[in-house]
Amino acid sequence: MGLFEHSVKNLHDKLVKKEISPFDLVKESFDRIDAVEDKVQSFITLNKETALDIAEELGDSGIDPKNMLAGLPIAVKDNIVTKNLRTTAASKILYNFDPIYDATVIQKLKQAQVINIGKLNMDEFAMGSSTETSHFHKTYNPWDLSKVPGGSSGGSAASVAASEVLFSLGSDTGGSIRQPAAFCGVVGMKPTYGRISRFGLIAFASSLDQIGPITRTVEDNAYLLQAISGVDENDSTSIDAPVEDFSKYLTGDVKGLKIGVPKEYLGEGVQPGVKTAVMDALKTLEKLGATWEEVSLPHSEYGVASYYILASSEASSNLARFDGVRYGYRTENANSLEELYKKTRSEGFGDEVKRRIMLGTYSLSSGYYDAYYKKAQQARTLIKQDFEKVFENYDVIIGPSTPTTAFDIDGMIHDPITMYQNDLLTIPINLAGLPAISVPCGLSEGLPVGLQIIGNHFKEGQIYQVAHAFEQATDFHKRKPSL
């Protein structure tokens, strides 16, 4: 039995008792990477020498019994800046960027004595749903190497599914944690907007982006979320909400819980195997004492269109900083400042990033702002109000994380509209700023299906309560891909 088969809690106990050392865990991580990374390709940059040195120091000083995550190896999506460790956002334009500071979540991980073993592959600037738009390489789904791992946090989900790391951090703008978690059969939490500081997260769409944990179990997820949560003076959008001990919600008890199931989330376009797995999951929760009823989120149909206008508009503003002047890639053959900007961006950004910058700039331009950007903001408000109405009568909302299981590599990359529709069930949650988790709820034709549990603002504890109860009543989280 490999060390990564154990829970965070078990490993912590073993570390405290000195039955194993942090060095053992970090070495196991790198050994596994050596064994499977050529197939999965989860990583962009490894932090091997530093990680092994830190592990050795921690082993010598001993593990604090109160510090649940100390000595455990993690990997981090490559749009979260790490001091002196290359951070590229999977883009040519940042191919040589070595940050001089840590993101707030990295500072928190260091305080918790978690060991960062490397930076994970992703869609370029988090723009994509398949981890195929990375400048460096594609990532492959450990369950079936002919399938995508999802995106944009595909490397984050695939590395956990392939047992290369115990857990990872991703970011979620329109489903980028939950969709790859569903495709790779792991647990992915997108917290309430403002629960976790975005300081040091390379911005895609600032009103939507949120960092979150990807783990093998709900319990592990709760421990990691607690470690990275909290208000931050460097991020004016982070909210001063109490950092809870999320593990106290893991009771297994959901008696009397009221679940709303949106009819829009189980309609046209949802694969029969996905729908069956979700309905079976609802039956499991019923047996545990919960009740569910069909509800409606009528404005969900406008989610994808609103999201791509709003996210692209914010991206066109955020990505203006990449100009070849201060850091990152710079074209070699420019004769004027304007030419430097044009050529650097033309050569440095990939097709998907350029597409979204152009769409966003168009949506914000004079004569189109009211027709597109303003209308999208109004639709966003209606979507948020839909959720508010449902939460007046129900504790959580449940549906599939994705309409399908993982699709083929190169299957949708040349059809952007179909690719965008893949985030149909996750996008409305980001537009409303709500928390949601994806947990494994079965297999369809041998590929994992994700169950999405959505809660009201700052109700992550209640989401964990439902997710953990379901997990304990099933064995889907114990199933592993055979690489």
Side-chain angles (χ1 to χ4, degrees):
M1 184 175 178
L3 290 174
F4 290 176
E5 300 292 313
H6 292 275
S7 68
V8 161
K9 201 162 186 253
N10 285 351
L11 290 174
H12 173 68
D13 291 343
K14 287 176 181 295
L15 285 166
V16 170
K17 291 173 186 167
K18 299 204 167 176
E19 291 173 14
I20 57 169
S21 70
F23 189 88
D24 295 334
L25 288 166
V26 172
K27 185 176 182 305
E28 175 143 340
S29 200
F30 286 116
D31 286 349
R32 181 67 176 166
I33 289 166
D34 288 343
V36 302
E37 181 60 12
D38 62 327
K39 298 188 188 99
V40 181
Q41 296 187 35
S42 302
F43 285 86
I44 292 177
T45 305
L46 289 175
N47 190 32
K48 190 167 185 178
E49 205 174 304
T50 304
L52 288 167
D53 286 348
I54 292 168
E56 217 157 355
E57 285 168 26
L58 264 179
D60 292 342
S61 60
I63 297 295
D64 178 358
K66 294 177 188 166
N67 192 348
M68 186 60 76
L69 303 181
L72 302 179
I74 195 170
V76 178
K77 189 174 179 179
D78 205 28
N79 59 348
I80 299 170
V81 302
T82 42
K83 188 175 181 180
N84 301 327
L85 180 61
R86 187 143 298 175
T87 302
T88 68
S91 179
K92 180 179 177 180
I93 212 156
L94 285 174
Y95 79 105
N96 62 354
F97 177 52
D98 297 324
I100 56 170
Y101 69 98
D102 279 322
T104 298
V105 289
I106 300 298
Q107 292 170 17
K108 285 178 177 288
L109 290 177
K110 285 182 175 177
Q111 285 162 13
Q113 298 183 313
V114 187
I115 302 168
N116 180 15
I117 66 151
K119 306 301 288 294
L120 294 159
N121 198 26
M122 55 183 281
D123 283 298
E124 184 183 5
F125 283 103
M127 297 181 191
S129 304
S130 62
T131 316
E132 293 176 284
T133 69
S134 168
H135 167 66
F136 299 99
H137 52 254
K138 293 172 185 174
T139 297
Y140 298 86
N141 192 320
W143 286 84
D144 180 343
L145 297 170
S146 70
K147 306 289 183 186
V148 301
S152 62
S153 308
S156 301
S159 63
V160 175
S163 298
E164 293 179 301
V165 282
L166 199 58
F167 39 40
S168 68
L169 290 187
S171 69
D172 193 311
T173 309
S176 289
I177 286 172
R178 290 156 291 150
Q179 186 246 23
F183 279 8
C184 292
V186 292
V187 178
M189 167 66 92
K190 180 256 167 208
T192 305
Y193 181 79
R195 165 74 79 181
I196 294 170
S197 171
R198 291 184 300 107
F199 179 72
L201 174 67
I202 296 172
F204 161 18
S206 304
S207 75
L208 298 158
D209 297 341
Q210 190 62 80
I211 295 168
I214 295 177
T215 59
R216 287 175 309 113
T217 68
V218 174
E219 183 183 38
D220 292 359
N221 206 281
Y223 287 129
L224 186 51
L225 181 64
Q226 186 182 340
I228 60 174
S229 294
V231 69
D232 178 19
E233 62 182 14
N234 291 317
D235 175 9
S236 60
T237 63
S238 74
I239 294 170
D240 192 4
V243 177
E244 296 182 82
D245 174 6
F246 294 115
S247 64
K248 74 182 182 190
Y249 290 95
L250 309 181
T251 61
D253 179 20
V254 290
K255 285 187 182 69
L257 187 95
K258 294 176 73 179
I259 300 167
V261 180
K263 61 183 181 185
E264 293 82 3
Y265 282 31
L266 288 167
E268 193 183 338
V270 177
Q271 271 179 1
V274 171
K275 188 171 182 177
T276 300
V278 170
M279 296 311 292
D280 288 346
L282 288 167
K283 286 175 193 163
T284 300
L285 289 166
E286 265 187 318
K287 284 178 190 163
L288 295 171
T291 58
W292 68 271
E293 292 172 358
E294 189 178 88
V295 297
S296 180
L297 297 168
H299 297 99
S300 293
E301 63 178 301
Y302 305 116
V304 172
S306 306
Y307 169 85
Y308 279 98
I309 289 169
L310 297 174
S312 298
S313 297
E314 293 183 29
S316 77
S317 173
N318 278 325
L319 271 62
R321 71 193 70 176
F322 302 109
D323 53 17
V325 174
R326 287 152 297 183
Y327 52 80
Y329 174 78
R330 177 189 293 198
T331 188
E332 290 177 1
N333 51 351
N335 299 312
S336 67
L337 187 61
E338 187 178 341
E339 207 172 281
L340 172 73
Y341 287 170
K342 277 184 182 175
K343 288 193 172 178
T344 294
R345 289 168 176 162
S346 296
E347 295 162 18
F349 288 137
D351 289 347
E352 183 60 34
V353 174
K354 288 176 188 169
R355 184 182 291 120
R356 297 200 197 189
I357 289 171
M358 289 163 69
L359 174 62
T361 306
Y362 177 80
S363 300
L364 291 173
S365 60
S366 176
Y368 299 102
Y369 179 91
D370 283 353
Y372 295 108
Y373 184 78
K374 187 178 173 186
K375 276 276 188 293
Q377 288 287 28
Q378 289 168 334
R380 181 180 193 169
T381 301
L382 293 173
I383 288 165
K384 184 170 178 287
Q385 287 170 352
D386 284 350
F387 281 109
E388 285 167 359
K389 281 178 193 159
V390 173
F391 282 125
E392 285 172 10
N393 299 306
Y394 298 90
D395 299 304
V396 293
I397 295 169
I398 287 182
S401 302
T402 57
T404 68
T405 52
F407 47 87
D408 291 341
I409 296 268
D410 294 326
M412 288 191 196
I413 192 70
H414 306 296
D415 184 357
I417 302 300
T418 305
M419 185 77 96
Y420 295 169
Q421 291 296 332
N422 200 59
D423 296 330
L424 183 72
L425 306 177
T426 51
I427 277 172
I429 290 90
N430 294 76
L431 290 170
L434 296 165
I437 200 169
S438 178
V439 293
C441 71
L443 297 175
S444 175
E445 296 176 16
L447 292 169
V449 176
L451 182 74
Q452 184 172 213
I453 304 166
I454 307 158
N456 211 341
H457 294 101
F458 296 100
K459 292 285 188 183
E460 286 88 350
Q462 192 166 50
I463 292 174
Y464 282 135
Q465 183 183 348
V466 181
H468 183 255
F470 173 74
E471 188 182 76
Q472 294 309 295
T474 58
D475 68 347
F476 304 123
H477 62 291
K478 293 178 181 172
R479 299 183 187 181
K480 300 277 189 300
S482 52
L483 266 172

